[in-house]
Each structure stands twice: as C-alpha cells, then as structure tokens.
Amino acid sequence: MPPMRIGAFALSFVAVAALVHLGATDSVDRFGREHLQAESFDTALDWLSTPANPLIYAAVLAAVCATLVHRGRAREAMLWVAVTATGVVIEVLGKLSIDTRFNDPDHVFDLFTLQNAFPSGHAMRSVLLVGLAAAVLPATRRLAAAWAAVACIAILIGGIHVASEVVGGILVAAMLLAAMASDRLTTRRWPPQPQPARS
C-alpha cells in the first residue's frame, strides 16, 4: 500500500503543478487572497507558522537525527536527512519552473531570488515536522498533526502563500512521509527472519 500512496501523492502533485502553471487555479487563489487574508492577525499567524521556518526546521531535524542516532536508529536519521533534501530540491525546482501570479519575489538569504512560490516550503515543512515529532515522541503525533493543520491555515490566511501553493507543499510532504513509511515497512520485512529447523 505505501508504494501506491507515494505514486498517488506524486501524481496529485504533478496535476496540481500543471493546473497552477496553466493558471487554472487562479480564481481560487484570487478568492483566497481577497477574502481569506486577515492582515490584522499577521503577528499571531506568523508565530503559528514559525516552526516551519527553514532555520528552525533545520534545528529540529538536527535534534531529531541526533536522538535517533543515540537510540541506535542511524539509518532512519540518514533517511530523514535524505527526505528533507529531496523536499528542498522539489521545492526549488517547482519555484524555478512553475509560474505563479500571486506572490512577491522571495529573496533567499540574500543569495538568490525565487520569482515563483509553488510549492509552499512552509506547508511542506509543517507536515514533515509531524513525522519528525512522531519519530522520537510517538505520543505527540496527534498534537503535531493538529498544529500542522493550523499552521497551514495560518500560512494561507496570513498571506504567505495562496491555496494552490499550500496544497502543493502538503502533497510533497505527504509523498515524502509515504516514502519513509514504505522504507520502514521494507526494513521490517528484510532480511527475512530465519525459519525454525524442522525436526
């Protein structure tokens, strides 16, 4: 089932990306921009989505990976690094190739400028943080998922991203988390357990 989920999320992301590029989502995004933004709550909304900031996410990732290594789960830690790197590549490629019309240019650490905003890296990292939290503190999964849902809404109504960009970020993260789940399933099944000798 996880490999099918990976494919489903990937195809959904490609479909949304194509619709965004062709302008088919403009009416929905324009409606959100005009009717859902709440500028009077910008400070609170920014605070809600702060953990999805790239630098804070990187710090959380480092802490989680260190914890996993300490617990003897170094392979899982490396996979989280690989998953995050893959997400960054998808985000940057998307912002370089998918034309968007409702964003201001994003100056990345004063190094370069991204003219487009699909998919939302903030939304992607919000969802990935759910997986990171569950990796070390499984009991926090529901709380982390609730925060991620609120954070994605805050990203939308705070004007950081429009709806299609948020959906794109969520789909990227869902695909990456499905890949993590698939790897864990494969690891549990392989190598095959030795069968008891027959008498």
Side-chain angles (χ1 to χ4, degrees):
M1 184 64 73
M4 292 181 63
R5 288 180 183 171
I6 298 169
F9 288 131
L11 287 174
S12 298
F13 173 74
V14 170
V16 173
L19 291 172
V20 171
H21 190 67
L22 295 172
T25 62
D26 284 2
S27 59
V28 173
D29 291 336
R30 186 177 293 107
F31 177 87
R33 224 354 119 84
E34 294 175 353
H35 299 285
L36 298 180
Q37 281 193 29
E39 294 181 2
S40 58
F41 296 100
D42 275 357
T43 302
L45 294 171
D46 286 346
W47 180 82
L48 281 169
S49 61
T50 294
N53 175 283
L55 294 179
I56 295 177
Y57 176 89
V60 173
L61 175 66
V64 168
C65 288
T67 302
L68 291 173
V69 170
H70 181 70
R71 294 179 181 178
R73 295 158 63 186
R75 184 175 186 278
E76 186 176 348
M78 289 188 294
L79 283 173
W80 272 113
V81 173
V83 158
T84 297
T86 301
V88 170
V89 170
I90 293 172
E91 178 190 355
V92 172
L93 288 177
K95 289 177 176 176
L96 289 174
S97 57
I98 306 298
D99 290 334
T100 56
R101 287 154 287 280
F102 298 95
N103 62 285
D104 297 320
D106 185 15
H107 305 288
V108 182
F109 301 121
D110 293 326
L111 297 175
F112 60 94
T113 300
L114 293 173
Q115 297 294 331
N116 302 304
F118 180 91
S120 165
H122 280 78
M124 177 187 72
R125 288 184 293 273
S126 294
V127 178
L128 288 178
L129 281 167
V130 178
L132 285 171
V136 292
L137 296 169
T140 66
R141 180 176 302 170
R142 289 184 180 179
L143 180 62
W147 166 80
V150 172
C152 286
I153 294 171
I155 290 164
L156 174 62
I157 64 178
I160 300 174
H161 286 280
V162 295
S164 62
E165 296 160 4
V166 171
V167 170
I170 291 171
L171 287 172
V172 172
M175 178 183 67
L176 295 172
L177 291 179
M180 285 290 295
S182 177
D183 181 81
R184 283 194 292 268
L185 186 62
T186 302
T187 302
R188 283 198 298 268
R189 291 177 175 174
W190 188 267
Q193 298 298 314
Q195 297 297 319
R198 294 181 180 179
S199 55

